[in-house]
Amino acid sequence: MISACTRIVFIVALVTTTVWADDLVLRGMGSLFVGGRIAEVSGKPVKEIVRVPGGPSSKLDPNGEYQVEQMYVQYFLPKERKGKLPLLMWHGGGLTGATYETTPDGREGWLNIFVRKGWDTYVSDAVERGRSGFASPDVWSGDPVFLTYADPFERFRIGDGEGSWNTDPTKRKILAGSQFPVEAYSDYMKQIVPRWLSTDEAVIRGYLDLVDKVCPCVLLAHSQGGSFAFKVAELRPEKVAAIVAVESASAGHLEKANALKDTKVLLVFGDFVDQHPRWVAYRKLDLEYAGAITRAGGKVDVINLPEVGIRGNSHMIMMDKNNQEVANLIQNWLSAQGFVEPGSGRDLR
Amino acid sequence: MISACTRIVFIVALVTTTVWADDLVLRGMGSLFVGGRIAEVSGKPVKEIVRVPGGPSSKLDPNGEYQVEQMYVQYFLPKERKGKLPLLMWHGGGLTGATYETTPDGREGWLNIFVRKGWDTYVSDAVERGRSGFASPDVWSGDPVFLTYADPFERFRIGDGEGSWNTDPTKRKILAGSQFPVEAYSDYMKQIVPRWLSTDEAVIRGYLDLVDKVCPCVLLAHSQGGSFAFKVAELRPEKVAAIVAVESASAGHLEKANALKDTKVLLVFGDFVDQHPRWVAYRKLDLEYAGAITRAGGKVDVINLPEVGIRGNSHMIMMDKNNQEVANLIQNWLSAQGFVEPGSGRDLR
């Protein structure tokens, strides 16, 4: 009878927990804005505008104070927390935090995947991207730049470099064995947002404000975001316990790399890098920076995915078809560095 | 023995289920982009730019095709679905979907509140706002407009109209009994993004693409978003089962209002409207439109919150301190219209 009872208890417990097996169970989710400053504009003429067609007209005085350079952050806190520290996901140039959400072809992105692995995850839009808004030409110098439809295809190692794009899909030169969901390229392009080239300092201030608010933490940063991650870690080495830099598009300041001697660093590079001089150049900068960290007594691991048998990755690794496999590899590295609670390395899925 | 066993089973079931009582249990979450078009730019000079400081320089040819006018949508699907249809949340002018997330003072916004009530909830950034990106001056005519720091305070019935703002917080004329979390006004201002005044048609096309993808549905729309909701419903009356218009800043086209005769409509207005001519004007437009729907045989309910004893609401009702109370009122209306599964009206919290 005891045995039967135990069995029933076990079955009930199993049913009431495994019913959520594929669900995301969050103890909280929300968003916040960090950083920014008040900018003053003066000496401009007052305009008369209609804000909504059919509505009343009103004056628009461009003079005054403006809130600028803040940063938007959205967070997801899993019920079963396993990552010892918050995980902050920083996107690359011309993109927003949407980079880490659903992939262009509709699969779960690294946000869902790492939340399922038990990480408190913070996805941000860099200053002047996406929901962080942008300042007027009265506040910022220079214009934003816009990527053409062909640009990421040729530059992000989806197609085989310059000239690989064609408006006729059958004539595009896709890299052989590409893991990028190229059939959803049009959906990927909808993620691309304009960016300024003059706002790096403001972007870094925004990230510093975030780090000061929610760290110590692990930074997972992509492309341009990698460069920001290293520069922020130079300024807050005690707050940045680890950096996973995915195809970092240049690194930090070589002469300040010694600040990262206690920060665990992983550099991840995809496939086809050797054939594309731009990415050879970025990897060279990253490895030089890694060398400077190492010489200061720090620890840097480098994974060239093809060298561990993972082939076909574009620059957009987090949305490539094998994004779960690469996420698992990153998780294993984080676990090996001690950032996952003992016995909690198992995937929730 | 059986009785003890039953008791144990009951306790185990209770523990393994009620442990999630305050958690958000989602059967899915993600994001997608809808709509948009390819725009062609030609005849512009090629520039040489450095994308990342320290990185290699590269050519920027502004000529070519661009992806423009797409719309970003994030969705949250509760495990215990109770809303019969998806609930789409559309924000107001100068804002993004962040409107519906955590309030400026850190409480749960209507996104969390309605997900907890069991609604499949879709929060979007209108075309040219936030993560939807924006097009270059080569594609769109006109400049974006930027709100000063004082503008929403004076215009959105937080302060008592023009002249109520002061840089010295102790000298600001806050409306007596205001429910707006005025102590977090600086955080609210970080949500404000630029907007264009020339893009209404593109915005409506974006919303139509979303409606065609995920509806029939209920639209919850605020301010400028209300105007878009009515115009979209005129074009897709069979897809829009209900509209909850929260302080809609003008409505649809009077001559097309009869299209909404089978769409349930609720108009919600906050406090202090009568003292502020701008809002009297918008409410008049909304009520005229409601009258046209009614004359066509349709049904419109109007709630002036002070008339039902709910006082102090600003224009930003979803982030006012009583946002849960107003959400409950909206939920009750939706339930009364038959959009909540029988017996499922209880709040999950």
Side-chain angles (χ1 to χ4, degrees):
Chain A
M1 203 60 192
I2 290 290
S3 153
C5 179
T6 308
R7 205 152 52 226
I8 291 167
V9 170
F10 176 75
I11 289 164
V12 169
L14 198 73
V15 167
T16 52
T17 54
T18 58
V19 75
W20 309 121
D22 273 326
D23 300 328
L24 284 150
V25 184
L26 306 175
R27 67 181 198 281
M29 70 175 194
S31 64
L32 68 152
F33 288 80
V34 297
R37 65 182 174 94
I38 306 285
E40 179 88 30
V41 173
S42 59
K44 306 283 174 184
V46 173
K47 302 176 195 172
E48 186 83 17
I49 61 163
V50 175
R51 283 189 165 74
V52 179
S57 90
S58 59
K59 287 187 168 37
L60 181 81
D61 182 352
N63 302 297
E65 295 182 327
Y66 291 86
Q67 173 65 47
V68 300
E69 299 173 2
Q70 61 283 353
M71 186 169 75
Y72 169 79
V73 189
Q74 191 175 32
Y75 57 87
F76 299 89
L77 312 176
K79 175 73 181 174
E80 287 193 51
R81 183 176 170 174
K82 296 177 183 177
K84 281 188 182 170
L85 299 173
L87 177 64
L88 278 51
M89 295 186 174
W90 297 2
H91 61 77
L95 292 156
T96 72
T99 294
Y100 292 107
E101 298 173 349
T102 307
T103 67
D105 58 334
R107 290 168 294 113
E108 288 198 314
W110 280 1
L111 166 59
N112 286 34
I113 289 172
F114 280 93
V115 169
R116 288 185 188 283
K117 288 180 188 294
W119 291 88
D120 283 5
T121 306
Y122 292 71
V123 177
S124 46
D125 291 354
V127 167
E128 54 99 322
R129 313 284 162 83
R131 287 177 167 177
S132 297
F134 58 94
S136 84
D138 299 329
V139 177
W140 284 346
S141 62
D143 298 317
V145 294
F146 298 81
L147 296 185
T148 64
Y149 203 82
D151 180 292
F153 186 89
E154 299 188 339
R155 196 157 53 89
F156 291 172
R157 306 195 323 276
I158 299 167
D160 192 12
E162 217 168 321
S164 61
W165 172 259
N166 196 297
T167 48
D168 178 351
T170 65
K171 293 184 178 160
R172 290 173 201 163
K173 289 179 215 142
I174 300 162
L175 281 164
S178 173
Q179 293 276 0
F180 188 85
V182 71
E183 72 280 11
Y185 184 74
S186 62
D187 283 274
Y188 169 61
M189 283 308 298
K190 294 178 185 183
Q191 296 199 9
I192 299 285
V193 297
R195 53 173 283 218
W196 278 255
L197 301 173
S198 56
T199 53
D200 279 17
E201 286 181 24
V203 171
I204 288 170
R205 278 197 301 273
Y207 282 132
L208 281 173
D209 285 313
L210 175 60
V211 162
D212 286 340
K213 195 171 187 97
V214 305
C215 298
C217 59
V218 172
L219 306 183
L220 171 58
H222 176 238
S223 197
Q224 187 195 27
S227 165
F228 291 131
F230 289 118
K231 287 167 185 164
V232 164
E234 289 166 6
L235 296 166
R236 297 289 190 278
E238 75 287 1
K239 298 270 193 183
V240 181
I243 297 176
V244 177
V246 177
E247 299 220 345
S248 188
S250 91
H253 307 92
L254 266 185
E255 71 281 10
K256 297 179 186 169
N258 60 336
L260 276 75
K261 64 180 167 38
D262 298 320
T263 299
K264 308 278 175 57
V265 176
L266 173 64
L267 304 180
V268 179
F269 299 98
D271 205 347
F272 316 115
V273 169
D274 295 332
Q275 303 98 291
H276 294 89
R278 169 187 312 281
W279 300 105
V280 171
Y282 279 134
R283 189 176 57 185
K284 184 163 174 286
L285 289 168
D286 294 351
L287 294 176
E288 281 170 7
Y289 190 76
I293 297 174
T294 309
R295 280 193 298 281
K299 177 179 175 2
V300 180
D301 291 312
V302 180
I303 300 181
N304 289 294
L305 292 175
E307 291 173 7
V308 297
I310 300 178
R311 297 183 191 284
N313 283 102
S314 73
H315 181 53
M316 303 305 303
I317 297 176
M318 71 292 295
M319 52 187 72
D320 282 342
K321 296 212 167 175
N322 60 351
N323 67 341
Q324 176 79 56
E325 184 179 13
V326 182
N328 292 347
L329 184 145
I330 290 170
Q331 173 76 358
N332 288 344
W333 181 84
L334 288 167
S335 185
Q337 311 310 310
F339 295 116
V340 176
E341 291 289 330
S344 63
R346 71 186 170 84
D347 200 309
L348 272 177
R349 299 201 75 176
Chain B
M1 203 62 191
I2 290 291
S3 154
C5 180
T6 308
R7 205 153 49 226
I8 292 167
V9 170
F10 177 73
I11 288 165
V12 170
L14 197 71
V15 167
T16 51
T17 55
T18 59
V19 77
W20 310 122
D22 272 328
D23 299 326
L24 284 150
V25 184
L26 306 175
R27 67 180 198 281
M29 71 175 194
S31 63
L32 68 152
F33 288 80
V34 297
R37 66 182 174 94
I38 305 286
E40 179 88 31
V41 174
S42 58
K44 306 282 173 185
V46 174
K47 302 176 197 171
E48 186 83 15
I49 61 163
V50 175
R51 285 191 162 75
V52 178
S57 89
S58 60
K59 288 188 167 36
L60 181 82
D61 182 351
N63 301 298
E65 295 183 327
Y66 291 87
Q67 173 65 48
V68 300
E69 299 173 2
Q70 62 283 353
M71 186 168 76
Y72 169 79
V73 188
Q74 191 175 30
Y75 57 87
F76 299 90
L77 312 177
K79 175 73 181 174
E80 286 193 52
R81 182 176 172 176
K82 296 175 182 178
K84 280 188 182 170
L85 299 173
L87 177 64
L88 278 52
M89 296 186 172
W90 298 2
H91 61 76
L95 292 156
T96 71
T99 294
Y100 292 107
E101 297 173 352
T102 307
T103 67
D105 58 335
R107 291 169 293 113
E108 289 198 314
W110 281 0
L111 166 60
N112 286 32
I113 289 172
F114 280 92
V115 169
R116 287 185 189 282
K117 287 179 188 294
W119 290 88
D120 284 3
T121 306
Y122 292 71
V123 176
S124 44
D125 292 354
V127 167
E128 54 99 324
R129 314 282 162 85
R131 288 178 167 177
S132 297
F134 59 93
S136 84
D138 299 327
V139 177
W140 284 347
S141 61
D143 299 315
V145 294
F146 298 81
L147 296 184
T148 65
Y149 204 82
D151 179 291
F153 186 89
E154 299 189 337
R155 196 157 53 90
F156 290 173
R157 304 194 325 277
I158 299 167
D160 192 10
E162 216 168 322
S164 61
W165 172 258
N166 195 295
T167 48
D168 177 352
T170 65
K171 292 183 178 162
R172 290 173 200 163
K173 290 180 213 138
I174 299 162
L175 282 164
S178 174
Q179 293 276 0
F180 188 84
V182 71
E183 71 281 12
Y185 184 73
S186 62
D187 283 274
Y188 169 61
M189 282 308 296
K190 294 179 185 183
Q191 295 197 10
I192 299 285
V193 297
R195 53 173 283 219
W196 278 253
L197 301 172
S198 55
T199 53
D200 278 17
E201 285 181 26
V203 171
I204 288 171
R205 278 197 302 272
Y207 282 132
L208 281 173
D209 285 313
L210 175 60
V211 162
D212 286 339
K213 194 171 187 92
V214 305
C215 298
C217 58
V218 172
L219 305 183
L220 171 58
H222 176 238
S223 197
Q224 187 195 28
S227 165
F228 292 130
F230 289 119
K231 287 167 185 163
V232 165
E234 289 166 5
L235 296 167
R236 298 289 190 277
E238 75 288 1
K239 298 269 191 183
V240 181
I243 297 176
V244 177
V246 177
E247 298 221 344
S248 188
S250 93
H253 307 93
L254 267 185
E255 70 281 11
K256 298 179 185 169
N258 60 336
L260 277 75
K261 63 180 168 38
D262 297 320
T263 299
K264 308 279 174 62
V265 176
L266 172 64
L267 303 180
V268 179
F269 299 97
D271 205 346
F272 316 114
V273 169
D274 295 333
Q275 303 98 290
H276 293 90
R278 168 187 314 281
W279 300 105
V280 171
Y282 280 134
R283 188 175 57 186
K284 184 163 175 286
L285 290 169
D286 294 350
L287 293 176
E288 281 169 7
Y289 189 76
I293 296 174
T294 310
R295 280 193 299 280
K299 176 179 179 355
V300 181
D301 291 312
V302 180
I303 301 181
N304 290 293
L305 291 176
E307 291 174 7
V308 296
I310 301 178
R311 296 183 193 283
N313 283 101
S314 73
H315 182 51
M316 302 304 303
I317 297 176
M318 71 292 296
M319 52 186 74
D320 282 342
K321 296 213 168 178
N322 60 352
N323 67 341
Q324 176 79 55
E325 184 180 11
V326 181
N328 292 347
L329 184 144
I330 290 170
Q331 173 76 358
N332 288 344
W333 181 84
L334 289 168
S335 184
Q337 311 312 310
F339 294 115
V340 177
E341 290 291 329
S344 63
R346 72 185 168 84
D347 199 310
L348 272 177
R349 300 202 74 178

